[in-house]
Structures are given as C-alpha cells and as structure tokens.
Amino acid sequence: MATITRHIYSEAERQLTYLLVIELLAHQFCFPVKWADTQDVILKDLRAERVVEIGPADTLVNMMKKTLQTGYKALDAALGLERELWSYKKQSDSLYYKSQPTIEPPVLHFRPSTSVVTEQSVQVAVVAPTSPVALVSEAPTTTTTTTTTSVSVPDRPVSASDTLRTIVAIALKKQWEDISMSQSIKQLCGGRSTVQNEIVGDLVKEFDSLPEQPEDMPLDELGPLLGSGVSSANGKLGPCSAGLVERFVSAKLPAGSGLAFVRQYLQTRWGFGEGLQSTALLRCVIQQPGIRLPGTKDVRSFLDGIAHRVLSDAGIDPETISAPVATATAVASAIPHEALQNLQKEQRMRDQKLLQLYAKRCSSNASEGGPIVENLDKTVNDLHQQLNVWVAEHGEMYNQWIAPKFDVRKARKYDSYWNWVIQDLFELLSKTFNIDSLRSIEELAERIALLEARATPRLLKVIQYMIRECKQSRVNAKVPAHLALLMQLRDTFERSINLPSTFRTSELSATPVVTVGQTGVIDYSEIPRPGGSKREQASQHISIGEMDTEVKYPTPIDVPSATSSVITTPEPPSVFDSVPLNSLSLDSFSDADTTRPRTSTAPSQTYSDPYCTEVPYIKSNRCGHWRRDDIITNGYLQWFQKSSTRGVSFDLRSVLVTGAGKNSIGAEIVRMLLAAGAKVLVTTSSYSPEVTGFYQKMYEVHGGRGSQLVVVPFNGGSQQDITRLVEYIYDRDDGLGWDPDHVIPFAAVKETGRPIDNIDPKSELAHRVMLTNVIRLLGSIKSQKERRRINTHPTQVILPLSPNHGILGQDGLYAESKIGLEGLLNKWWSEDWKDYLSLCGAIIGWTRGTGLMASNDILAAGVEDLDIRTFSRAEMALHILGLMEAPVACCCEVEPLLADLSGGMASNASLRDALDQIQEHVTSKSAIKRAITKDSDLDEQTVNGSSSAARPRKLNRRARAQFDVHRLPDFRTEVEPLTSRLQGMVDLDRVVVVVGFGETGEFFSAARKHTL
C-alpha cells in the first residue's frame, strides 16, 4: 500500500496532507463545541420531535430540556409539536419496544366473598393471559372510588438555628436530638478549644457576621442573632452547609441520585418547597446512613423517614400527606389465590416452551447462560457485602484518603538558579536608582550575599557588559555610582564563583508576646529574644502611652542569655575520646571551610547554660537507657556558631523531604537546604498550580549554586505511592538516579479534638501516615540500596518524635504514632539494615506558627513562663539542620542518637491543666476588657448621646494623580483647515496609536499616555 501511495502522491502532497491533518486536529481541539448551534439545528431546522441520547447518562437531554423551556415553548405551541427527549439510561425499554401491550382484562366470574371492600382497599392490577380463564361467580363487580384527604405543607426558609445546630452536631459527631439548644458551644465542646475554634470558623464561613464571643452564648440565643447566612428568599444554603450536603450526596447516595433528584422527590412526594427541602437536607447530613444506599428504592425510603421528622417538627401529621396519585375509578376484583397461581404457572410454562423453540432454531443452548448469570449475581452480592464491611469499618472517605497520587509525568524540576540570579541583579540595580526602595544598608548587603551564593560565569559576563555600557554612557548622573557597584560585584563574584554555595544565619531568636487591647482584642506578636528577662524586654517593645497590657502569668521565668559558650566539664568515654575536649569543634568532622557565605533569614542560636532543660542536647543509648552525651552535644552546639559566622554547605547532597507544606517546619528546612546548594525532592499531597507556584517562588529566592528542587505529587497514606516514589528516586533511566543522603519524613495529619471515645477513620489515616508508612518508606529505601549493593553510604533518617506522649490529650493516635517511631531506634541494632540506614530521633518541641500548633500561638507566652522553650519554624528547622551535619551525622553511622529539642516540654506532666489555666486567664482578661468597654460605651451614649465605639470608617487610599490643564484645539477653526495638508503626511506603519485612556499595564499608565 505504501508503494502505491508513493506512486500516486508526490512528496510535497504527502507533506501537505500531514500538515493539513495536524492543523485540522488542532482546530478541532481548540474550536468551540457549539452545542447551542447544534440544538438550534435539531430543534428549529429539523423540527425533531424525538431526540434520543445514547450514553451512560442523560446530560445532553437535560440541557436540551432547559433549552426547550426557555426558547422553544412558544414555537412548539404554534406548530403543534410535542417533543420527546429520551435517554438510553432511562428509556431503554421504550427504545427496544419491550413494554407489554395493553390487553383488555377478561370477565371474571367469582362467588361472593364475605370480605367487605372499603374505600382504603389496595387495588391490584393483574395482567391477563392470552387465553381467558373463566371463574364461576354469581355476584356482580363492585366499583369503588379511592379518596384521601390532602394537607398542603406551607413552605418556610431554612432557619439560622437549624444551620447552627447542624454545624455543631457535625463537628461534635452527635445526633440532632443530642444537641441541647440551651447550652453554649463552649459547654457542648467540653473544654476542647480546637473543636470550638473549628465550629466558630465554620460559622464565620456560613454567616455574614457573628456577634462577639459566640462560643459563650446559648444556641437558642445565638441562632436569631446570626443574621442571613442563608438566602431567605429562595431557601438556599450557605457555603459551609452546602458543602456538607454535597459531601453527603456524593458519599451516601447511589449513582444517578444526585441533589436534584433528592429535591425533586421531596417536592413531588411530600410537597416541600425550597425552604423545607433545605431543612430536610440538613437533617440528612446529621442522620445519614452508615453505608452508601444501594438503590433508588432505599433512597426514597430514607427520604421518607427524614420527611416524617421534618413534618413532625413543623407540627404536621405525616399520615395526612397523600402521595400524588391520580384519583380514578377502578374495578375491585377479588381473585382466588389458587387461580392466580395456576394462571402464573401456565404463563411461565408457555414462555419456557417459546424460549426452547427459539434456542433450537438458533442452534444454541437455552440453559447455558443460567449458571453464568447466577454466578455473576453471586459475585456482585459478595462484592456488595465486602464493600459494606469495608465502609462500616473504615468509613466512606478512607478509600479516597489512601488512593495513590504519585505520577512521574507531574514532576516539576527547578534548577535554573543561573537564570534567576541575573533577574535578581537587574532588580538590585533598579532599586539603586531609587534609594527609598531599599530599607537599609543591611538589606543591600543581604541582596549582594544572595547574588554571591549563586554567581555563575554567565552572570560575570552580564556584569562586564554592563560595566562597558556604563563607561560609554554619559547621560545619567548616577552612572558613576552604578559603575562602582558593578565593579565591586565583579570582584566579589570572581573570588567566590568556584566555591560551593553556603548560607549563614543572621537573625536573632524571637519570643512570643500576648497582649490584650483596651477593647478586649487579643493580639499575638513576636519580639527578639532578650539576653535578660523576657518580661523586661517585652516591656521595652510596648509603648507606655498605649492602652494594651501584657498578659501577666503567675511565675515569670527568665530566658537564658544568647551568649555563646562551650562545655568544659569532663565527659564519659565515647567515640570522641581521641579528640581533646578543648579542641573539639565542627572543623574536626566537616570538610574544608568555605568563604563568603550566603546570608539567610534563619535565626542565629547560641546558648549560655548547656545543662538547662531549654537547651537542646543529644542522647545516646548506654546500657539500655538514653543518657545525655556531652561530647556530641558540645559539637552540636558549636555548629550553631559556625552556621552564623562561616556558614555551612550541603553541596552535592540529595535530600528527601515529606510534609513540607506552607507554614511548616519542613518548608523552612527545604529553604535552608536550597540556600546551601543541596538537591531536594519534596512531596506534596495537595498538588495544584498554587502549590507548585509556592515551591517555584521558594527556589527563585533561595536556590543556591548547584541546587535543585524536584516536586512530585504523593500521598503519604498510600503504600503504592511509597514504592513508586523510592523507585523514582533510584531509577537512573526514568527517574532521578539519586541515593539520598538524608530523609526527613515529616508528613503529618491533624487529629485535634479526638479523645479515646472518638477514634475515627481520620485518626487511623494519621497513624498510617505518621507511623506505618514511615516504616514502609525506610524499608523500601533499604530494599533499593540492598538490590544495588549500596552498603557504604547509609542514608540518615531524621525521625520526627514528640514529647507529647499523651500529656496534651484529645489528639487521636498522635502520641501512639510518635511513641511507635521510637522503636526503630532499637530495631537498628536487632535487624540487618544498619549498613543502609542511620537514625537520629528529633524530639520536636512547641513550634509556633505551624499547621498543627498555629491555633495555640496565644498560649505560647504563658508556656514559656512554665520553663518551656517555644520555637519558631525557622528556629526548629535550624536545629534539625544541625543534626544533618557533623558531628551528629557522623555519629549516627555508629549508633542511633536522640536529639532533645523539646525545650523542656517533656518534663511537665501536667501540661494539659496548665494550658487550660493559661487559656482561661487570657480569655477572662479579654472578657473583662470587653465588658468594661461596653459599659463605657453605654455611659458615653447616655451622657452625650453618642458612643465612643462609633469610630469613623477607615477609607482606602486612592491615587492622587495631577495633570496640567491642556487647552484642546478647536476643530472647526484650527484642525479642519489642516485636513487637506495632512493627507499622506504620516507613515501609519511607524505611528503609535493609543486607543482609550484606561490602564493598560504596570508600566504604561493613563498619566504616561496623557503625557504622550
């Protein structure tokens, strides 16, 4: 065929055909569907009276129904057209003419029965056979008319109290009747502040506005004050309640029974309007079944039960509501049971004979498909039973939570530091034109350090080109200053261009401060951690003239001063016995130091009293007990001094990080690793353009020379994703081909508000993510290294441990997950994978601003007064980064180590009670301030007739562009006489024409166009 084609068509024709096909396919992909035009052709031009949709759903037919109602109703009435819109899904029997023909019922004679036929008798329609069966009777037929009293159901919009009750019931996992409207949200939550905050957040999302302190008001008083969070005009639900209804419909109703079906059934069967429908949907959310309803019949039965409850609450007897059945006169025929059975038996025998006759004619076995169908039915029933058991044990969403997400095609790689550094150079030079854009000389030095950390030969060429241009330019007066800056940059970058990328810390540690304003507003802020008392330093940052007062706690504790020192006390024997103590430093274990380190925004850290419980230290296992190792701790603390002076580098190292979302410790670790020149693989469970944009921006700002960032979608709850991820890391052909130096499995799931009597599938998922699959991840790495015989380069694993071994409570299986990880430190000795993995457990203390602890930031100031050190995200990331450097990383290859970064949190067994007292102290002070402010406003209003609380509304700043007044030329006297001489005067190909006077971009404003 190919030979014939070559003889018929020339090479040019074949190429033209190829291009034409490509262009037509591209046009087809990009061209609109034109469904509206297609409907006009079918309904208007062809005047089709029957449209059939062949497919698994009736989407197109439903769309065409709306089109008929809006645009063709009058036309069809004028032309006498009766449209029929069918779908294969619902009218398949009619399409194949499977409906039984209507047969006139035979005259049946029967003997009179002693039973009396009443008006409520159920009428049974019997399909008669082709041959009538005569039954002797002497009594005539009896005709009755069925009538039922109907009660109209008045519609009412869904009330805010019903929505409030639903949100509270869902958050507390209780039934409708268990929510007492006389109690407040705080009382119902029973002291669980996290659940209380979640409920208030949902109410803010649902309603337009909330009164002050809604958690302290009884529900029956709070409901009327919530306002119009739902539309009272059409009964639609608000954002939060609508989301709950959508989740119920998708999780509990079968396919084809959507929200529209539920509303239609409630309207046609029970006469509910929009408002009562929404009320019934809220009841469905609370009283939803445990498993997915199997069929439409079960859905109707479930909705009938919900409708009964709604009607009962409205004071209407459900029995008085009749189904919409047409009233008709029927013939009540009492047929003996034996006669009816004989009739059905005869019908089945005749059908069987016809089936055998057709099978004989077609040369097939009529009974061949019977066993197959029975086996299929049995298989389907077994699968339904297994699915019901799974849902009953794990819940409806657990299957979705553990579904795999990893896809190599979605991997995003960022390694163009050489390009972003040139853009940063241009931005730096543009800011030097306007000195006001740079806040300080320190910022200029920091920007230069950022450029220095990723300088490349290409950047030097750009700088040299700009130097030549500046020497030739004499237009701008600032050229000499720019020339001097460029020459300084050139000399600096030439010295550091061949050195690894390094970073050093610059900012001081911060301490939390909580203040209560005059109006009772709780304000949280952070100030640099002082060298003396935290209380004294905090007072220096609060103006005396301000009315805000700092929250006072019973026992203020001074924070250790931030002056560097090392341990000089004798240490027990360890692996560093051969190193003199006074010479013990990071230089003994690291590579050659690099100069010109990069500046980072991570906080610097030094400690004065190394034996204070707030100071981090390293433990080693001695004789079955974890004891402090002062030699390793001394080297670890000295690392902080080097990181803030000479800097550290992770050049040529690869790191795997899970759980590095926004506002997390993992994200700060990734930022520091990129600044130090490492190759980092980050996994994310919420893969989206926003998430990838977040990591791209992180690399743009912090990516050092030689660094690389790879982002992949990953579900920490999926075993399949773990296997695929590790294969992708080690595969040299289709993957990265890395052997990770470090693994940081920090993925976590929030479990707050779950006591032991409320361990739900979310807690099981969290346990799977934070314990089970972490162990599987390490096992997969061990298997890959063993298969590739990589036994001389163990991968260091930073185990995320916690001092919370149940001391906080109501956190699901969080404590159990963290305790379970500690068992790996013992398995390192008892199993055979010490040549492939090294372990370092990090007991992470109270970290402010993370996804797990952000809601408790207002308690951090009080926690520090309990001898417990709290950390910012950057502080904790820096502490963990120190565990990945010598001497800790080197010692982990000899034995597992345990780093106590808890800040003394583990030593306080009664922390839960202390936190409750701190919470009560802050909220009570806020309540007192609010009450005083409210009383003062009432006094002011009584005396002066106005409230001091009525402050002027803040106005947004607007542009103040000023233009000179220009006199426009008169057209008739000045412009029109010039028309004859202007013809052909302007070359239209070279003239800029500005159409409109609005904004067209960032660098071309209306003012500039006016100037032109």
Side-chain angles (χ1 to χ4, degrees), residues 82 171 210 243 303 337 408 501 600 678 721 769 822 877 917 929 942:
E82 295 183 1
L210 294 181
L303 293 177
H337 180 66
V408 178
S501 179
S600 176
D721 274 7
V769 171
E822 296 180 7
Q917 293 178 6
K929 290 281 188 178
T942 303

Side-chain angles (χ1 to χ4, degrees), residues 262-509:
V262 174
R263 287 188 175 274
Q264 183 181 6
Y265 179 77
L266 292 174
Q267 180 181 7
T268 56
R269 172 63 184 87
W270 295 99
F272 284 4
E274 291 286 342
L276 286 179
Q277 293 174 21
S278 300
T279 304
L281 288 172
L282 293 179
R283 296 295 293 267
C284 291
V285 170
I286 298 178
Q287 300 173 351
Q288 53 185 287
I291 60 175
R292 183 186 294 271
L293 298 175
T296 307
K297 182 179 179 181
D298 302 277
V299 175
R300 291 194 179 98
S301 177
F302 172 73
L303 293 177
D304 290 341
I306 295 295
H308 275 243
R309 295 184 178 92
V310 174
L311 291 172
S312 299
D313 293 343
I316 300 175
D317 186 6
E319 300 299 332
T320 61
I321 306 299
S322 63
V325 181
T327 304
T329 302
V331 178
S333 303
I335 305 176
H337 180 66
E338 296 180 357
L340 182 60
Q341 283 187 338
N342 293 333
L343 179 63
Q344 294 174 349
K345 181 178 179 180
E346 183 180 351
Q347 184 73 37
R348 286 193 296 269
M349 293 176 60
R350 186 164 52 252
D351 293 341
Q352 190 68 24
K353 291 180 180 180
L354 290 174
L355 179 61
Q356 293 177 358
L357 180 61
Y358 284 125
K360 183 178 180 181
R361 181 179 180 86
C362 298
S363 300
S364 62
N365 187 3
S367 60
E368 183 179 358
I372 298 177
V373 174
E374 292 179 359
N375 292 334
L376 289 176
D377 292 339
K378 185 177 182 301
T379 303
V380 171
N381 292 332
D382 293 342
L383 292 176
H384 273 295
Q385 293 178 2
Q386 295 178 15
L387 180 61
N388 292 336
V389 172
W390 170 270
V391 173
E393 288 293 329
H394 298 286
E396 188 70 31
M397 299 298 296
Y398 191 79
N399 186 40
Q400 301 179 16
W401 290 336
I402 63 175
K405 294 182 178 180
F406 183 81
D407 191 350
V408 178
R409 297 170 297 180
K410 294 182 179 180
R412 296 291 180 267
K413 297 181 181 179
Y414 307 104
D415 55 4
S416 56
Y417 63 92
W418 48 268
N419 185 37
W420 294 112
V421 68
I422 296 178
Q423 181 172 328
D424 292 343
L425 173 65
F426 292 154
E427 183 178 355
L428 175 64
L429 294 177
S430 65
K431 286 183 177 296
T432 57
F433 278 101
N434 184 8
I435 194 62
D436 295 336
S437 60
L438 289 175
R439 293 188 294 269
S440 63
I441 300 300
E442 289 77 9
E443 181 181 356
L444 177 61
E446 182 179 347
R447 287 180 175 273
I448 294 176
L450 291 174
L451 294 175
E452 182 185 359
R454 45 184 176 177
T456 60
R458 188 167 179 259
L459 178 65
L460 287 177
K461 292 181 179 180
V462 173
I463 294 178
Q464 292 173 357
Y465 169 78
M466 299 181 72
I467 291 175
R468 291 195 302 267
E469 291 294 320
C470 288
K471 289 181 178 180
Q472 298 175 2
S473 176
R474 295 293 184 267
V475 178
N476 197 328
K478 296 184 178 181
V479 167
H482 282 207
L483 181 60
L485 177 60
L486 288 172
M487 295 180 67
Q488 180 184 358
L489 293 177
R490 181 192 61 185
D491 297 339
T492 302
F493 296 165
E494 284 178 350
R495 292 193 301 266
S496 61
I497 193 172
N498 296 321
L499 297 176
S501 179
T502 59
F503 83 99
R504 60 184 173 90
T505 59
S506 61
E507 294 185 0
L508 294 176
S509 174

Side-chain angles (χ1 to χ4, degrees), residues 642-658:
K642 178 185 177 181
S643 66
S644 60
T645 55
R646 291 171 293 179
V648 294
S649 175
F650 279 78
D651 187 42
L652 302 180
R653 295 200 221 174
S654 57
V655 185
L656 168 63
V657 182
T658 65

Side-chain angles (χ1 to χ4, degrees), residues 625-940:
H625 298 282
W626 290 98
R627 293 186 174 88
R628 176 181 180 132
D629 194 314
D630 289 334
I631 295 182
I632 304 178
T633 301
N634 182 60
Y636 175 60
L637 295 180
Q638 287 189 9
W639 179 88
F640 290 99
Q641 183 178 4
K642 178 185 177 181
S643 66
S644 60
T645 55
R646 291 171 293 179
V648 294
S649 175
F650 279 78
D651 187 42
L652 302 180
R653 295 200 221 174
S654 57
V655 185
L656 168 63
V657 182
T658 65
K662 192 175 182 180
N663 298 329
S664 66
I665 301 174
E668 294 294 328
I669 294 175
V670 172
R671 176 178 64 83
M672 296 178 184
L673 290 172
L674 292 176
K679 297 187 295 183
V680 185
L681 172 61
V682 176
T683 65
T684 174
S685 59
S686 55
Y687 190 87
S688 65
E690 291 77 14
V691 173
T692 55
F694 165 74
Y695 290 114
Q696 179 179 351
K697 186 63 178 179
M698 179 188 295
Y699 186 85
E700 293 175 10
V701 177
H702 303 286
R705 184 168 46 251
S707 64
Q708 183 180 5
L709 177 62
V710 183
V711 182
V712 294
F714 174 78
N715 183 7
S718 172
Q719 181 180 358
Q720 302 178 51
D721 274 7
I722 291 176
T723 304
R724 295 171 184 173
L725 175 66
V726 177
E727 290 178 353
Y728 173 71
I729 293 174
Y730 282 91
D731 191 356
R732 296 184 178 275
D733 297 329
D734 300 325
L736 299 176
W738 295 357
D739 180 23
D741 297 273
H742 310 277
V743 174
I744 307 177
F746 275 22
V749 178
K750 193 173 183 179
E751 302 180 73
T752 52
R754 290 173 172 83
I756 61 172
D757 58 345
N758 190 20
I759 303 299
D760 55 3
K762 190 70 171 293
S763 298
E764 294 186 16
L765 173 69
H767 192 72
R768 181 183 177 94
V769 171
M770 294 188 290
L771 175 61
T772 307
N773 282 359
V774 170
I775 298 176
R776 286 173 175 164
L777 175 64
L778 303 188
S780 297
I781 295 176
K782 179 256 180 182
S783 299
Q784 290 288 341
K785 296 172 78 73
E786 184 179 22
R787 184 159 60 90
R788 289 172 168 80
R789 298 182 179 179
I790 307 175
N791 54 9
T792 59
H793 179 240
T795 298
Q796 186 195 28
V797 182
I798 305 296
L799 296 178
L801 307 180
S802 174
N804 177 19
H805 290 179
I807 59 177
L808 296 180
Q810 296 186 354
D811 51 8
L813 300 176
Y814 179 83
E816 288 76 8
S817 302
K818 297 304 180 181
I819 294 174
L821 286 177
E822 296 180 7
L824 291 173
L825 301 175
N826 296 324
K827 287 186 178 182
W828 191 88
W829 296 99
S830 60
E831 296 183 0
D832 59 346
W833 40 273
K834 61 182 65 176
D835 293 335
Y836 309 106
L837 298 172
S838 62
L839 301 180
C840 181
I843 305 177
I844 300 175
W846 188 298
T847 306
R848 307 182 302 270
T850 63
L852 296 178
M853 299 295 293
S855 59
N856 297 319
D857 282 348
I858 62 173
L859 308 179
V863 169
E864 292 217 344
D865 287 336
L866 300 174
D867 265 340
I868 298 176
R869 173 73 172 267
T870 64
F871 304 86
S872 66
R873 298 191 304 270
E875 283 181 280
M876 185 55 66
L878 184 65
H879 283 77
I880 294 173
L881 204 67
L883 302 177
M884 302 162 61
E885 280 274 271
V888 178
C890 299
C891 296
C892 287
E893 297 182 6
V894 180
E895 59 176 339
L897 297 178
L898 190 62
D900 192 333
L901 312 179
S902 64
M905 182 177 173
S907 60
N908 196 327
S910 59
L911 184 59
R912 178 74 265 174
D913 296 336
L915 292 179
D916 292 338
Q917 293 178 6
I918 296 172
Q919 177 76 33
E920 182 64 26
H921 183 75
V922 176
T923 54
S924 62
K925 180 174 285 292
S926 176
I928 293 172
K929 290 281 188 178
R930 288 196 311 271
I932 294 175
T933 302
K934 185 176 181 180
D935 186 70
S936 300
D937 290 341
L938 291 176
D939 293 343
E940 184 73 18

